Amino acid sequence: MAFRPLHDRVLVKRIEEEAKTKGGIIIPDTAKEKPQEAEVVAVGSGAIKEDGSVRTLDVKKGDRVLFGKWSGTEVTVDGDELLIMKESDILGIIEN
């Protein structure tokens, strides 16, 4: 199934953090927090401005982004757990 978000929404997949600390301690799943870093899977066509024109989004497919702890709505698409959120919920793009 193909999924394309509407307007200024973005579909992201969380990037899982390492299950072990630098010191070698393994962190159990129950003690982990959900990561706030994700890869953009799909983006909408853009935000509609008051004059009716469309502003393209700053993020694109493949970008690594940071988002707020309580941002987005969890959805399952083709068996993958993803988040859909507005572009404004994204705090920034991680550049290498």
Side-chain angles (χ1 to χ4, degrees), residues 8-9 12 16-18 20-21 27 31 37 39 55 57-58 60 62 64-67 70 79-80 82 84 95:
D8 64 338
R9 289 181 177 78
V12 299
E16 295 300 322
E17 295 177 346
E18 192 67 35
K20 189 188 301 185
T21 66
I27 303 168
E37 185 176 332
E39 181 178 346
R55 181 190 65 81
L57 302 182
D58 292 328
K60 62 186 181 306
R64 289 180 69 149
V65 295
L66 288 176
F67 56 91
W70 308 109
D80 291 328
L82 306 171
I84 189 163
E95 297 179 349

Side-chain angles (χ1 to χ4, degrees), residues 24-69:
I25 298 171
I26 297 174
I27 303 168
D29 288 340
T30 55
K32 284 189 204 174
E33 287 191 22
K34 290 188 176 184
Q36 293 174 272
E37 185 176 332
E39 181 178 346
V40 176
V41 176
V43 296
S45 57
I48 299 174
K49 298 195 274 186
E50 287 183 21
D51 64 2
S53 62
V54 177
R55 181 190 65 81
T56 58
L57 302 182
D58 292 328
V59 296
K60 62 186 181 306
K61 184 177 178 179
D63 282 348
R64 289 180 69 149
V65 295
L66 288 176
F67 56 91
K69 192 172 201 169

